[in-house]
Amino acid sequence: MYRPFVIHRPLSPPMAWLGLALLIFAACLVGIFARPIGFLSAFWPANALLLGLLVRYPTLARPPAWVAAAVGYVAADLVTGSHWGMALWLNAANLLGATAGWLVLRRLDEGIRRLQRTVSALYLLLAALAASAVGALAGCGAAPVYFNTPWTDLLSLWFSTELMNYMLIVPVVLAAPRADAPPPAPQGLQGVPLFWRLAPVSSLLLAEGVRTVIGGPGMLAFVVPGLLWCALSYSPFISSLLSLVVCLWTMAGVATGVLNFTPAHASDVFSLRVGVTLLALGPLAVACASAARAEALRRLDHAVRHDDLTGVLARRAFLQQGERLVTRYQRESAGLAVLMVDVDHFKQVNDQLGHGAGDQLLIGIAQAMASALRPQDVLGRLGGEEFAVVLPDASPAEAHAIAERLRKVVEQLPFGAEDGAPQHHATVSVGLVHSASLGGDSDMEMLLLAADAALYRAKAQGRNQVMMG
């Protein structure tokens, strides 16, 4: 039974804002140390990190978050000796650009923001274009004041570096693994040997080697097949991370000894950065489409394997998983147990309160039993008001204690109390059989039959009890 791990104690808002300020401060220092003498940084990750975090964590996007980010921006500039006027102007432009991107992305469907839809790359590109344009327009006026260059040069360089940074960094932040995420959907390389799992990333290393030997104007595209293969094979996070590393390495390789990121090479730098951005866009679009397909398969698999009313395993999936557990555990020392659980007088609930109340009762009972079971236990609905449970690695005494816990948790469960109606309580009868009582050759069908016989004895002797088979 899958139970996602959820962080029960998230950071308090003051600690989250402090962490954001420190992260922006550190990212700005990285960008400052990448500045050519007397001009803007060749690589500025702070804005993309801020946009990614604000979109990934909507509860963080409050006015104090912008204040914290502004403190981190300005503090980094002042600590490294920048003029306070330039620090305020350029960092105000940074904040405006990131805010523009956030306004584009914040109202989108969560699946789009998590890069699990085929249109995710398109929306991210639109947000990056908006953020880059707003930031560049807000900051380009500083060129003649502080850098003694035309504002058009700063506009070109600012826009291109921001566009590249957003398209490389924001996908990594948005697609990073989450603690509350559902189990991963099947990927293209699941169940294949390690050699083939590593083949896509190995192709990137090979392309880098070939590119180093051959060189030439086409070297920018040598890694495209490997990046596309990675996008089809790995998660969007891994694919985006590889694109970030490869594209930055590509940019550094092209620029080393050829370009300086200054107005003297503005047109060449603009071309390089836009080329790197487009290099990352293709694999990102493929990774998003692959993730959308995997998510659709996961939802389809869940719909096929789970009961559409209660959410527990459907009959066929339960029997298949139960058979695997029987094969694995029945010959071990503790063995396993099978429970048959039937709701007492369920027909009366439907007749007196209506089928809607009956459905709500079944949902509540399924949820209550699921919460009372161990993580390794398997719960399924066989049909109607009848459930079944497999308890692997449980002795007869442990299995009986778990069955009693299930009976009591259902007995204490109120239902039918909506709109001021009186509360009702239901009970269940439980039939229990342990693999040790049937010998080592018993299969799932035999265990279910024995548990069902014990269930009928429990009903015949008054219901609301556990009967051992």
Side-chain angles (χ1 to χ4, degrees):
M1 181 176 6
Y2 170 69
R3 290 177 180 170
F5 171 76
V6 179
I7 298 177
H8 296 285
R9 293 184 180 179
L11 288 176
S12 63
M15 292 300 297
W17 295 325
L18 176 60
L20 178 63
L22 293 175
L23 182 62
I24 295 301
F25 177 79
C28 288
L29 291 181
V30 172
I32 289 170
F33 291 130
R35 282 177 178 168
I37 297 176
F39 204 65
L40 297 181
S41 175
F43 175 63
W44 186 260
N47 300 349
L49 279 174
L50 176 61
L51 174 58
L53 290 172
L54 292 177
V55 174
R56 180 185 171 105
Y57 302 107
T59 56
L60 180 65
R62 300 289 184 270
W66 272 267
V67 174
V71 170
Y73 277 119
V74 176
D77 265 334
L78 296 181
V79 164
T80 53
S82 296
H83 186 272
W84 66 268
M86 184 178 73
L88 291 178
W89 189 337
L90 297 184
N91 289 313
N94 287 330
L95 281 171
L96 285 173
T99 302
W102 174 75
L103 290 173
V104 173
L105 296 175
R106 71 188 185 100
R107 295 188 180 276
L108 296 178
D109 175 77
E110 186 178 7
I112 296 177
R113 298 199 309 268
R114 291 194 179 195
L115 306 186
Q116 294 178 343
R117 301 289 187 270
T118 54
V119 295
S120 294
L122 174 60
Y123 279 110
L124 187 57
L125 177 61
L126 292 176
L129 288 169
S132 304
V134 170
L137 289 171
C140 65
V145 178
Y146 295 106
F147 304 113
N148 195 30
T149 60
W151 66 270
T152 53
D153 287 345
L154 183 56
L155 178 69
S156 168
L157 291 172
W158 189 309
F159 176 83
S160 61
T161 188
E162 285 298 272
L163 181 63
M164 181 189 70
N165 292 335
Y166 283 126
M167 291 304 295
L168 291 180
I169 296 174
V170 173
V172 177
V173 178
L174 296 183
R178 299 168 185 252
D180 60 344
Q187 296 293 326
L189 292 181
Q190 277 197 346
V192 302
L194 179 62
F195 172 82
W196 288 109
R197 288 176 177 267
L198 297 177
V201 71
S202 299
S203 70
L204 288 178
L205 298 176
L206 178 61
E208 285 294 338
V210 173
R211 181 163 65 180
T212 301
V213 174
I214 297 178
M219 62 181 295
L220 195 65
F222 283 11
V223 294
V224 170
L227 287 175
L228 292 176
W229 192 2
C230 291
L232 288 169
S233 304
Y234 303 137
S235 68
F237 172 67
I238 298 298
S239 177
S240 299
L241 190 60
L242 289 172
S243 291
L244 172 63
V245 173
V246 170
C247 288
L248 290 182
W249 181 259
T250 299
M251 188 181 71
V254 173
T256 300
V258 178
L259 293 177
N260 289 317
F261 294 90
T262 60
H265 297 86
S267 61
D268 291 332
V269 171
F270 181 88
S271 176
L272 171 61
R273 285 171 170 165
V274 172
V276 169
T277 301
L278 297 177
L279 176 64
L281 180 60
L284 176 62
V286 171
C288 292
S290 181
R293 174 181 174 276
E295 176 65 12
L297 290 175
R298 187 191 70 80
R299 291 178 180 274
L300 178 62
D301 179 70
H302 185 276
V304 170
R305 291 176 51 80
H306 291 77
D307 177 57
D308 59 354
L309 176 64
T310 62
V312 301
L313 287 177
R315 180 185 183 92
R316 182 176 180 180
F318 172 80
L319 294 176
Q320 290 174 344
Q321 193 162 338
E323 191 63 55
R324 288 195 294 268
L325 291 173
V326 169
T327 303
R328 177 180 175 184
Y329 283 98
Q330 68 176 347
R331 297 183 183 276
E332 296 189 6
S333 57
L336 83 164
V338 173
L339 311 180
M340 289 288 289
V341 183
D342 190 85
V343 183
D344 297 327
H345 304 297
F346 183 70
K347 185 177 184 301
Q348 295 180 13
V349 174
N350 282 335
D351 292 342
Q352 297 174 10
L353 302 178
H355 288 276
D359 288 345
Q360 292 302 312
L361 173 59
L362 292 177
I363 294 171
I365 288 176
Q367 294 175 345
M369 290 196 299
S371 66
L373 291 171
R374 305 171 301 170
Q376 66 267 34
D377 299 333
V378 178
L379 170 64
R381 182 186 179 199
L382 300 188
E385 69 273 24
E386 194 170 57
F387 297 87
V389 184
V390 178
L391 307 175
D393 196 23
S395 66
E398 291 171 334
H400 191 274
I402 294 173
E404 278 291 339
R405 187 163 71 238
L406 296 182
R407 185 191 66 79
K408 290 178 180 178
V409 76
V410 172
E411 188 178 34
Q412 298 167 2
L413 178 71
F415 74 97
E418 293 84 359
D419 300 326
Q423 287 188 352
H424 299 273
H425 291 268
T427 61
V428 294
S429 300
V430 183
L432 163 64
V433 64
H434 194 273
S435 59
S437 65
L438 297 183
D441 296 328
S442 56
D443 57 15
M444 187 64 184
E445 183 178 357
M446 295 173 61
L447 289 167
L448 282 174
L449 288 173
D452 196 48
L455 170 65
Y456 277 98
R457 290 201 303 273
K459 285 186 167 294
Q461 295 185 22
R463 296 183 171 84
N464 191 25
Q465 60 184 288
V466 177
M467 183 67 65
M468 293 281 291

